Amino acid sequence: MKKLLIAISILISVSFFTASAQNKSFELTNDEINTMNAAIKGDTNLSKLLGLFGEPVDLYKKYKINLWCTDSIWNHDQQSIKKIRDLGSTRHFEMIPLIDWFTKDNSLTGEAGVSYLIKTDEATILFDLGVNEKDENPSPLQKNMTRLGIKPEDIDIIVISHNHGDHVGGDKWEGKNTFSFTNHQPPLKQMPVYTPVEMTYPGLNPVCTPLPTKIARGVATIGGIHNPVFFADIGEQAIAVNVENKGIIIISGCGHQSIEKILLRTEILFNEPIYGVLGGFHYPLEETRNIGWIYKYVVVGKLPWERLTVDEIRANCELIKARKIKLVGLSAHDSSDGSIAIFKQEFPDEFVNIRVGERIFIGN
């Protein structure tokens, strides 16, 4: 009942901020219009991309509204969300990347998506399901699971970070608000599934978790955090695992929330220090590998004509250093080689590679 009341409160808050936005002026200034028009004129790809979504001025105004609403909701949530006091802990933490760009060896398949198997004392959790870009059966995820000796029956819990194709098993599943291991939806054993938005799966009853939610002893989601990019509002949740005598390890899918908000939310939820941050944090500094030209237009907190800079990445590293975090891993599925190189420089002792099949283990 308490969670229901909190959820209702959040829904009322969302409605309030959305309604409040109607009473504010989000008209563009002349400087904003001129800057946007100059950027569009000088960038053919940007012009084409904006044309797919609508009139640039309307898109810009909608973005300003979304930004105001999500900032207001964030500030409200940070004041109202309470600590998870009965989280418990696990003596052992293990993360095995099943899908990411780089692999441990050539027998495994890499792709531009995320799927991590997380093991604790009591639970085996599948965090995201990759992208299956070629719509294969068996999918790259299934091939890697077989190669690593992992069966679907071994999984106790599924958690979806956010409803994007590279995390739910393919673009076709994103459009249907569902997910899958492969190009169809095979029967799965009964298990809890936690999603940041309403999703379905045949025979299962996924639970939408906009609020921080304990999902196993020592494991919780940190709740959905919304951040808009110019073209959409993205709601994403991360996982937090409390390792005994170490602290909280955060596992992120894409990091659309921003590392700053992820860290701040985690500090509100738990008394334990943050021990590690692992996964995707969306630093497409330059075009490389799978990080194509379109990535530079969809950086959270940036207008499409603004570019992520080295200084901004280093500033994010300082946020991690300030907390004396001892374990840092950056996914290559949404961060470029230049960004990964910066993280390796900034964290020479703390950095671990995230490669398919390469086990990350913390234990007592």
Side-chain angles (χ1 to χ4, degrees):
M1 177 62 73
K2 182 179 179 181
K3 281 194 172 184
L4 177 61
L5 291 174
I6 295 173
I8 291 172
S9 173
I10 288 177
L11 287 173
I12 292 172
S13 299
V14 171
S15 300
F16 169 77
F17 289 123
T18 303
S20 298
Q22 306 303 316
N23 299 321
K24 295 180 68 68
S25 174
F26 294 95
E27 294 300 322
L28 304 186
T29 66
N30 288 334
D31 284 346
E32 288 173 330
I33 292 173
N34 291 337
T35 300
M36 178 180 66
N37 287 339
I40 293 171
K41 185 177 180 180
D43 189 335
T44 303
N45 285 332
L46 175 59
S47 178
K48 290 179 179 177
L49 185 62
L50 290 173
L52 295 175
F53 290 88
E55 289 296 323
V57 170
D58 294 337
L59 291 171
Y60 200 165
K61 287 173 65 176
K62 184 177 180 181
Y63 170 75
K64 290 178 71 173
I65 293 170
N66 284 343
L67 187 62
W68 183 86
C69 287
T70 53
D71 283 349
S72 299
I73 293 168
W74 163 257
N75 292 329
H76 172 270
D77 287 354
Q78 285 298 94
Q79 294 174 12
S80 61
I81 285 176
K82 306 299 182 183
K83 286 188 182 296
I84 297 178
R85 299 189 181 278
D86 61 344
L87 180 63
S89 62
T90 179
R91 292 182 60 206
H92 304 97
F93 166 88
E94 182 178 1
M95 187 177 100
I96 305 172
L98 302 179
I99 289 294
D100 212 299
W101 183 257
F102 292 121
T103 63
K104 178 182 177 181
D105 58 54
N106 292 333
S107 70
L108 297 162
T109 302
E111 62 172 0
V114 157
S115 182
Y116 302 146
L117 194 73
I118 300 164
K119 294 184 177 183
T120 67
D121 295 348
E122 294 187 355
T124 298
I125 302 162
L126 185 66
F127 184 55
D128 288 345
L129 291 98
V131 61
N132 195 13
E133 188 172 6
K134 297 178 181 178
D135 201 31
E136 299 175 79
N137 182 41
S139 66
L141 173 60
Q142 290 174 312
K143 293 174 186 176
N144 289 339
M145 288 175 66
T146 299
R147 175 68 180 171
L148 296 168
I150 299 163
K151 303 181 183 66
E153 298 79 39
D154 298 334
I155 298 165
D156 301 313
I157 300 167
I158 294 175
V159 177
I160 303 296
S161 65
H162 61 300
N163 185 26
H164 278 181
D166 52 338
H167 296 262
V168 299
D171 291 341
K172 72 178 184 181
W173 304 126
E174 174 187 345
K176 298 176 181 178
N177 284 349
T178 187
F179 53 90
S180 186
F181 284 75
T182 185
N183 67 359
H184 61 286
Q185 291 184 305
L188 297 175
K189 75 172 189 180
Q190 287 297 313
M191 71 179 91
V193 180
Y194 299 97
T195 63
V197 295
E198 295 291 343
M199 300 181 78
T200 62
Y201 191 94
L204 297 180
N205 295 297
V207 176
C208 180
T209 51
L211 297 171
T213 302
K214 179 180 176 179
I215 62 174
R217 184 166 66 86
V219 187
T221 68
I222 68 168
I225 299 174
H226 286 259
N227 248 355
V229 294
F230 195 76
F231 306 100
D233 171 31
I234 302 171
E236 183 174 347
Q237 62 182 353
I239 288 179
V241 180
N242 183 26
V243 182
E244 188 176 303
N245 299 323
K246 302 291 184 182
I248 301 293
I249 297 177
I250 302 164
I251 304 96
S252 170
C254 256
H256 291 298
Q257 311 98 306
S258 81
I259 186 66
E260 180 179 17
K261 287 186 176 180
I262 290 172
L263 295 172
L264 290 172
R265 171 62 59 83
T266 302
E267 288 170 329
I268 279 186
L269 288 175
F270 311 108
N271 290 320
E272 295 79 8
I274 300 173
Y275 181 84
V277 289
L278 301 169
F281 290 98
H282 212 267
Y283 296 119
L285 186 61
E286 81 281 2
E287 291 184 35
T288 177
R289 302 181 273 101
N290 61 304
I291 310 295
W293 62 268
I294 198 169
Y295 274 72
K296 65 184 179 183
Y297 299 120
V298 290
V299 178
V300 170
K302 294 280 189 184
L303 293 164
W305 46 90
E306 297 175 334
R307 296 291 162 262
L308 181 66
T309 68
V310 169
D311 287 345
E312 287 169 328
I313 295 175
R314 293 196 187 280
N316 278 198
C317 290
E318 290 302 317
L319 295 175
I320 298 171
K321 288 181 181 180
R323 291 159 170 88
K324 296 180 171 57
I325 291 173
K326 297 176 176 61
L327 179 69
V328 178
L330 186 60
S331 166
H333 96 281
D334 65 349
S335 288
S336 62
D337 292 342
S339 301
I340 293 172
I342 291 170
F343 266 73
K344 287 182 176 180
Q345 292 168 3
E346 295 288 337
F347 301 101
D349 299 321
E350 300 87 351
F351 191 86
V352 293
N353 291 306
I354 295 181
R355 296 175 177 146
V356 175
E358 194 161 295
R359 174 175 174 259
I360 298 170
F361 179 82
I362 301 293
N364 297 293

